[in-house]
Amino acid sequence: MDSPVPRTSAIAPAPKKPPARTGSKAVASSDANAVAAEATPTRRPRGRPRKTAEELDDGNRRRKLMDGAAKLFRTQGFAATSTRDIAAAAGMHSGSPFYHFESKSALLYAVMSEGMTMATQSQQQALDALPAAATPREQLHTLIRHHFEILLGPRSSFIPVMLYEWRSLTPAQRKGIARIKDSYEATWMPVLEALTQQGALQAEPGVARLFIFGALNWAVQWFSPKKGKSLDALTDEALALFIRS
């Protein structure tokens, strides 16, 4: 009887080929680069990140809404102006204002607060542009001229709105506007006090400030550039009215 044939199921697998040297070098190089990248701190650009085109467009739309609302609040009154009117003035759909402002009341507050904030900043810039040796009279001239600019200039609606729609604000909103307004008017006090010490101002500085703002703000009711008087000429006449030459 022939001897049994050995089974072939236990044949050993062929040995695996060693990996190519070039591959191991590439892996090692990649690992080294990764370690180096982790060790090197990422430099962040200085300053605020640039706004995207969409963010800039949103800012422009918000400004258009505020400018349009300010003009309508001034001419029609807050109560008589609808959000549909405001959207139409800005060239938007009727629901667009609520994307930027939660209510018409919030829009009214923004018109006043941002207008006064802008005026406070530009007022300080006007004073900073004066020579260091500017006299109190020259400083008051600058303050009056600047105030006429924000009262009667291209973007002048927010102060009349603030004067005539004060009652339309909530108590909390009034406090917020009052803080900004007080800061704006406080800048005038050192100038008026200096003029009082010189004998050029005939009233106590605090009372004089109230009279001056009352007179200047009323100009929005009667001033017309068509009558031929410039803001510079108006400033000279107001200064002559308030202080002695």
Side-chain angles (χ1 to χ4, degrees), residues 49-245:
R50 293 182 179 180
K51 291 186 177 181
T52 64
E54 184 177 355
E55 289 173 332
L56 290 172
D57 188 48
D58 281 346
N60 292 334
R61 290 181 179 180
R62 188 176 189 276
R63 173 52 57 189
K64 285 182 179 179
L65 284 170
M66 290 181 59
D67 290 345
K71 292 176 182 177
L72 289 172
F73 291 157
R74 179 178 180 177
T75 56
Q76 297 182 183
F78 174 74
T81 300
S82 67
T83 53
R84 186 182 298 273
D85 295 334
I86 296 169
M92 301 179 188
H93 296 294
S94 58
S96 296
F98 296 111
Y99 175 79
H100 299 275
F101 303 95
E102 62 182 12
S103 65
K104 191 174 73 166
S105 177
L107 178 53
L108 175 66
Y109 178 74
V111 167
M112 295 185 190
S113 63
E114 294 192 24
M116 280 306 305
T117 299
M118 175 194 70
T120 301
Q121 294 171 349
S122 60
Q123 176 177 255
Q124 189 58 53
Q125 292 170 357
L127 287 175
D128 291 343
L130 287 173
T135 65
R137 181 187 178 88
E138 291 169 337
Q139 293 174 31
L140 183 59
H141 185 281
T142 296
L143 289 171
I144 293 173
R145 179 61 179 80
H146 170 268
H147 195 67
F148 275 140
E149 183 65 31
I150 64 169
L151 276 174
L152 308 169
R155 296 178 62 184
S156 58
S157 294
F158 73 91
I159 283 191
V161 170
M162 184 179 70
L163 295 174
Y164 306 136
E165 296 295 345
W166 183 257
R167 293 183 179 180
S168 299
L169 296 172
T170 66
Q173 288 173 336
R174 291 176 193 171
K175 289 182 180 179
I177 299 298
R179 283 193 295 268
I180 307 173
K181 184 175 73 69
D182 290 346
S183 175
Y184 177 86
E185 295 182 5
T187 303
W188 294 56
M189 288 304 295
V191 178
L192 297 177
E193 289 169 353
L195 288 167
T196 300
Q197 292 176 359
Q198 294 177 355
L201 197 65
Q202 302 185 59
E204 186 270 328
V207 175
R209 175 181 59 84
L210 295 175
F211 276 122
I212 290 172
F213 276 107
L216 297 182
N217 290 342
W218 190 248
V220 299
Q221 290 290 339
W222 55 263
F223 176 77
S224 174
K226 297 179 181 179
K227 294 182 179 180
K229 192 171 292 293
S230 67
L231 294 186
D232 290 330
L234 202 63
T235 300
D236 292 338
E237 293 187 12
L239 187 67
L241 179 65
F242 299 142
I243 66 174
R244 296 174 181 175
S245 57

